[in-house]
Amino acid sequence: MQDRFIVPGHDKPTMGRKSFDKEYLVHRTVSGEKHNRCVIFLANVGMVAEALERRNQNWIVRTKVTSDLTIQIGDSTFHLHKLPMVSRSVYLNRLVFQRSSGKRDTRLIIQLDNLPGGTKTFDLVVKFCYGWKVDLTPTNIASLYCAAHFLEMSDDIEQGNLMSKTEAFLSYLFLTSWKDTFRIFKSCESISSWAIELGIVKRCSEAIAWKACSNQKAFSFEEDDAQCLNVVGNDDENSKLQDRCGNWWFEDVSFLRIDHFIEVIQAIKSRGMKSDLVGSSIAHWTTKQLSRISFGPDNLTSKYLTHQMHRVTTECLIKLLPVEENSVSCNFLLHLLKIALMMKINSELLNMLERRITFMLEQCHVSDLLVKNFGDNCSVYDVGIIIRVIKSYISLVSSKPTPKMFVVGRLVDGYLTLVARDENLSVKSFQSLAEALPKDARYCEDNLYGAIDMYLKAHPSLTEEERARLCRYLEYHRLSQEAREHVMKNNRLPLKIMTRFILLEQVNMARSITAFGSNYRRTKTQKIARVSNGIEKGWMSSQREMRMMKKEVETMRMQLNELQTCKLKLQRQMKRCINWKGNHSFI
């Protein structure tokens, strides 16, 4: 009689390692709601056993024959028989032969160290060897497969042995079930070295990558939604459905351990998945896993991983990022940089990440720079990390100025305007970011003035010294006329700044009037020269025209006198302002 391999749901058992109905299995397992399970047992049993009893840490097989083999696994002891065990395991057969040679005592005690799966898995092995039914599930198949290899339970010693049966069910799950593949992945965490050596981790990764890349509709959402992709209709709706079709696997992958996640991403990359989807999946995993960290002002605590593990994880994520342009968002990289700084990762990787962000600044929006802080007394957004990135950008382009620096200037001013409303944002942080850009990074300072005014409005308790320090970067000639007029009426500005701007405004007016007088005099002089030249050539012969010329010259003299008087008045005004300034102390 041949061994049977039974899958619940099939009326008839399949013989040996016969392939299963693929169509049925895909339909059955795509939703992942039910676990696949398999029942296996041996038809040819060398010894009939009534039961396997457990008494505390002792497992005893009840038979009519006295136990002659004791196997210890950790604190547990199994009282067994040589015949059923050595007839299925080459490893146990070899140990029994070696230790039985030359000894009269037929009872052997064998200590099994490092058996994959430990006591729980060996319990299933014992049941299999004695011919009892064994339930294979996605949660125990990996450890049982590894234990079968450890014990060398191949078909060479017994046809239909445990190694071949576990291999058949394992392949079946990889081929058909999305959710069960992740259950296998999870079970591999406790037997990591064996799972890697025997290729289970690699096979899990390749199965996930194959399904994510080749059969997106079938494994992502309901059939009705998938059919909608083929309907010509609303472009926005089709775009949303296509997005769902592309990133449906993110959530399941985000629960993987970092080493397993790396294996999956590498397998997905090798299958040609779009770089932006790969980058988004890494960002999704990071949000899921590293959001568990609790950041404090002086310490860092984690419920799930140690600080060292977080540091290694962060370094692995940076190495894993796709190199293609725009494959990851600037906002995600900034959050990753924040974590990297707290974890104190390798300086070379940190510089590489920082440099990548600086290259993206010229295409960023203000919302991309928003990195939240953690803590009750901190500012809402982390301005310090933006200052660091802006300084890195300036050092990068200082040797090779680019017209796009003005784009970064507008970006920073927009960011300053947004964070200026934060009551916890210090003057030092705001000022440091405002001054991080050089003067030539802004066409004018209207946006910067607007951000400063917003900050002053949101922080009415600032001292005169703090206000002056905040506004010292502003320059009169770099503001538009509209902004200058607003400055004159803005009582939130420090008195020293307002006075300086008023004086500069008066000087500017005086220069304008003087320039107007000079232009007027130049025009009249040119006219007189033209008239005189006409007289010399005989063009002016009428006495009436001579009198008109004298009258215009007299009018010009009167206007020049008026301009001179106005100039003297302005000079006296300026002197009074300077004297008044000397009698009052300003910062």
Side-chain angles (χ1 to χ4, degrees):
M1 181 178 179
Q2 295 187 24
D3 300 334
R4 294 187 296 170
F5 189 96
I6 302 174
V7 179
H10 288 261
D11 294 332
K12 298 179 179 179
T14 57
M15 308 304 292
R17 299 178 63 181
K18 184 178 179 181
S19 62
F20 302 102
D21 184 352
K22 182 178 179 182
E23 183 179 356
Y24 166 80
L25 295 177
V26 171
H27 178 73
R28 168 86 173 169
T29 61
V30 67
S31 65
E33 294 178 357
K34 296 181 180 180
H35 289 228
N36 283 295
R37 56 184 290 271
C38 172
V39 180
I40 59 172
F41 61 93
L42 284 172
N44 301 320
V45 182
M47 178 176 292
V48 179
E50 298 177 2
L52 177 62
E53 296 180 353
R54 179 179 178 182
R55 300 173 186 174
N56 297 325
Q57 296 298 317
N58 293 303
W59 275 259
I60 302 173
V61 177
R62 288 174 53 191
T63 64
K64 296 180 181 181
V65 181
T66 306
S67 171
D68 58 359
L69 176 64
T70 301
I71 295 180
Q72 294 180 339
I73 301 176
D75 297 332
S76 302
T77 303
F78 289 82
H79 300 278
L80 309 172
H81 301 83
K82 295 177 184 176
L83 178 61
M85 299 305 296
V86 300
S87 63
R88 303 282 182 264
S89 171
V90 174
Y91 180 75
L92 291 178
N93 195 338
R94 186 166 56 249
L95 289 180
V96 169
F97 177 78
Q98 291 174 352
R99 299 184 185 185
S100 299
S101 300
K103 293 184 180 180
R104 295 181 180 179
D105 188 6
T106 58
R107 186 177 184 84
L108 290 178
I109 300 177
I110 296 176
Q111 179 78 34
L112 289 183
D113 296 322
N114 303 320
L115 177 74
T119 302
K120 189 174 181 180
T121 300
F122 191 70
D123 177 41
L124 298 176
V125 173
V126 170
K127 289 179 179 179
F128 177 80
C129 291
Y130 279 89
W132 291 316
K133 292 181 180 180
V134 178
D135 280 342
L136 301 184
T137 66
T139 56
N140 67 22
I141 185 62
S143 59
L144 198 56
Y145 178 81
C146 293
H149 279 78
F150 178 88
L151 295 171
E152 301 176 37
M153 301 176 70
S154 66
D155 285 4
D156 294 338
I157 190 173
E158 177 73 26
Q159 188 67 27
N161 209 346
L162 186 59
M163 194 182 295
S164 62
K165 289 188 177 293
T166 53
E167 167 63 31
F169 188 58
L170 197 62
S171 300
Y172 158 72
L173 292 179
F174 287 145
L175 177 65
T176 63
S177 178
W178 171 262
K179 290 290 184 181
D180 286 343
T181 304
F182 285 93
R183 295 185 180 106
I184 296 171
F185 241 148
K186 184 66 178 176
S187 68
C188 288
E189 293 180 1
S190 59
I191 53 170
S192 183
S193 59
W194 275 96
I196 293 173
E197 183 178 346
L198 295 177
I200 300 178
V201 170
K202 184 177 181 181
R203 291 170 69 183
C204 282
S205 304
E206 290 176 346
I208 292 172
W210 169 67
K211 292 168 186 173
C213 295
S214 64
N215 197 8
Q216 297 178 356
K217 294 180 186 178
F219 291 90
S220 58
F221 39 84
E222 298 298 329
E223 184 179 356
D224 292 340
D225 286 345
Q227 290 175 351
C228 290
L229 291 175
N230 300 320
V231 177
V232 178
N234 189 306
D235 291 339
D236 293 337
E237 292 298 325
N238 287 339
S239 178
K240 290 178 182 178
L241 287 173
Q242 288 171 0
D243 289 341
R244 289 181 62 189
C245 190
N247 61 18
W248 62 271
W249 49 276
F250 287 8
E251 187 66 17
D252 290 325
V253 172
S254 68
F255 289 98
L256 293 176
R257 202 172 65 178
I258 180 61
D259 53 337
H260 295 165
F261 178 71
I262 291 173
E263 291 283 346
V264 169
I265 293 300
Q266 289 175 342
I268 285 175
K269 282 182 178 180
S270 66
R271 285 190 170 267
M273 177 71 78
K274 292 180 180 179
S275 61
D276 58 334
L277 283 175
V278 175
S280 297
S281 68
I282 295 174
H284 190 83
W285 188 94
T286 306
T287 302
K288 278 281 186 181
Q289 297 291 332
L290 297 187
S291 61
R292 298 172 180 172
I293 306 174
S294 174
F295 295 102
D298 299 320
N299 60 357
L300 182 147
T301 58
S302 174
K303 184 179 179 180
Y304 299 92
L305 297 173
T306 62
H307 180 277
Q308 177 70 9
M309 185 61 190
H310 277 304
R311 186 178 68 82
V312 174
T313 299
T314 306
E315 292 178 347
C316 290
L317 288 173
I318 295 173
K319 295 176 183 177
L320 195 62
L321 291 174
V323 297
E324 290 81 2
E325 188 177 356
N326 298 324
S327 57
V328 286
S329 69
C330 183
N331 186 260
F332 166 64
L333 292 180
L334 283 169
H335 278 88
L336 193 59
L337 178 61
K338 180 181 177 69
I339 296 172
L341 290 170
M342 290 186 171
M343 296 296 110
K344 298 179 180 178
I345 68 167
N346 178 275
S347 58
E348 185 177 346
L349 285 175
L350 186 66
N351 293 334
M352 183 181 73
L353 178 61
E354 196 173 282
R355 186 178 179 86
R356 181 166 185 171
I357 296 173
T358 59
F359 281 119
M360 299 179 68
L361 282 179
E362 295 173 353
Q363 289 83 37
C364 284
H365 301 286
V366 173
S367 58
D368 295 326
L369 304 183
L370 301 181
V371 179
K372 283 196 173 183
N373 264 326
F374 301 91
D376 298 332
N377 299 323
C378 299
S379 58
V380 177
Y381 298 108
D382 191 343
V383 178
I385 199 168
I386 305 302
I387 295 173
R388 180 187 180 100
V389 170
I390 295 300
K391 288 182 176 179
S392 176
Y393 173 81
I394 296 303
S395 64
L396 187 68
V397 301
S398 58
S399 58
K400 196 175 183 181
T402 170
K404 290 189 177 181
M405 186 183 292
F406 295 110
V407 176
V408 177
R410 287 195 299 272
L411 177 70
V412 172
D413 290 345
Y415 178 79
L416 283 170
T417 304
L418 193 148
V419 300
R421 301 178 178 87
D422 186 2
E423 295 180 357
N424 291 329
L425 181 61
S426 65
V427 176
K428 183 178 179 181
S429 296
F430 187 92
Q431 181 185 352
S432 297
L433 181 56
E435 297 180 359
L437 288 172
K439 289 289 184 182
D440 54 1
R442 295 180 174 95
Y443 282 115
C444 69
E445 295 182 356
D446 284 17
N447 293 333
L448 177 60
Y449 168 68
I452 291 174
D453 185 46
M454 181 67 70
Y455 186 86
L456 294 175
K457 186 177 181 180
H459 301 78
S461 60
L462 293 179
T463 64
E464 188 72 12
E465 180 182 359
E466 289 174 329
R467 292 171 185 269
R469 191 167 70 245
L470 192 66
C471 298
R472 69 183 183 182
Y473 194 74
L474 291 176
E475 292 188 10
Y476 173 84
H477 68 279
R478 296 179 65 84
L479 294 175
S480 65
Q481 185 60 38
E482 184 180 358
R484 293 173 190 172
E485 292 174 1
H486 190 275
V487 169
M488 304 303 174
K489 303 172 185 177
N490 192 349
N491 56 8
R492 288 187 288 270
L493 294 176
L495 187 59
K496 180 178 180 180
I497 299 296
M498 289 187 66
T499 304
R500 179 161 61 87
F501 271 56
I502 290 172
L503 289 174
L504 291 172
E505 181 69 17
Q506 289 181 346
V507 171
N508 190 49
M509 288 177 61
R511 288 176 178 174
S512 298
I513 294 173
T514 303
F516 172 77
S518 300
N519 291 335
Y520 182 82
R521 182 173 57 187
R522 191 181 303 112
T523 302
K524 292 298 180 179
T525 303
Q526 290 172 352
K527 184 177 180 180
I528 294 170
R530 287 197 300 270
V531 172
S532 300
N533 191 32
I535 293 173
E536 292 175 0
K537 294 182 178 180
W539 292 350
M540 183 74 73
S541 58
S542 173
Q543 291 292 329
R544 182 168 172 265
E545 290 180 357
M546 290 290 293
R547 285 194 298 269
M548 288 178 64
M549 184 188 69
K550 289 180 180 179
K551 188 176 181 179
E552 288 179 357
V553 171
E554 188 63 29
T555 303
M556 185 183 69
R557 279 185 191 153
M558 292 174 63
Q559 289 176 342
L560 287 174
N561 288 333
E562 290 176 0
L563 288 172
Q564 187 66 24
T565 303
C566 182
K567 180 180 177 181
L568 292 173
K569 286 181 180 180
L570 287 173
Q571 287 177 346
R572 285 196 294 270
Q573 259 187 345
M574 291 176 65
K575 287 181 181 180
R576 281 199 299 271
C577 287
I578 292 172
N579 292 333
W580 181 72
K581 177 183 175 183
N583 294 329
H584 295 77
S585 60
F586 292 91
I587 300 173

